[in-house]
Amino acid sequence: SQKIEQNSEALNIQEGKTATLTCNYTNYSPAYLQWYRQDPGRGPVFLLLIRENEKEKRKERLKVTFDTTLKQSLFHITASQPADSATYLCALLNQGGKLIFGQGTELSVKP
Amino acid sequence: DVKVTQSSRYLVKRTGEKVFLECVQDMDHENMFWYRQDPGLGLRLIYFSYDVKMKEKGDIPEGYSVSREKKERFSLILESASTNQTSMYLCASSASGGLLVLFFGSGTQLSVL
């Protein structure tokens, strides 16, 4: 069955640096992949979607890449700020047409 | 502003009780979903619905049922609550067709004692 792996270890970085989060998946390549942000005690919020024929997508300080050969997506936050501290989830559509999520990676940006 | 509203932020119930979790969306979305989120296990799909009166099992439907009598409302029912159903429950909705982008509610933290 389709699996998604995100680094379960928290990522701690200094304000102003670029944060890079990784999402790896197994089995078939999805038509698109999504990234969500989740703050403690809240539901996830959609950030970006990247299609299989797109190598890169940008939105303000966010950049997502999608490598179907490596079966991997990278999520970058440039010029990170303490307000970017949250858990980031990647999600993809499995072959059954359901959206499945990774466990998420917690990002902590220190001033 | 789009909104998915879950009726309770926190609930404490006793083992064996019947529990109703309510979710309402104001975006006229056709699709609605119930997930549960547990540390180390991530988000897991319980049930979903692509239309009124319609429901489909997700990956972990055992011990749960759902009801969708109106387009905007999707209820999750725990027929007889058990301690292993203590979890954060998240409702989401999405428009039909095209890309499945989910809008989530704030979640209900359910504790079953």
Side-chain angles (χ1 to χ4, degrees), chain A residues 13 15-16 37-40 47 61-62 77 79-88 107-111:
Chain A
I13 65 167
E15 183 176 8
R37 169 185 172 139
Q38 186 174 24
D39 292 287
L47 294 175
R61 293 185 295 111
L62 309 181
I77 305 175
S80 60
Q81 304 166 1
D84 295 327
S85 298
T87 296
Y88 292 86
L107 172 66
S108 179
V109 182
K110 303 296 184 188

Side-chain angles (χ1 to χ4, degrees), chain B residues 11-13 19 78 85-89 108-112:
Chain B
L11 269 181
V12 180
K13 296 292 181 181
V19 181
L78 286 65
Q85 292 179 310
T86 291
S87 185
M88 168 70 92
Y89 289 88
T108 296
Q109 180 61 52
L110 173 67
S111 296
V112 182

Side-chain angles (χ1 to χ4, degrees), chain A residues 70-93:
Chain A
L70 292 178
K71 294 186 187 290
Q72 181 180 81
S73 175
L74 298 179
F75 178 82
H76 306 271
I77 305 175
T78 58
S80 60
Q81 304 166 1
D84 295 327
S85 298
T87 296
Y88 292 86
L89 308 169
C90 73
L92 57 82
L93 210 63

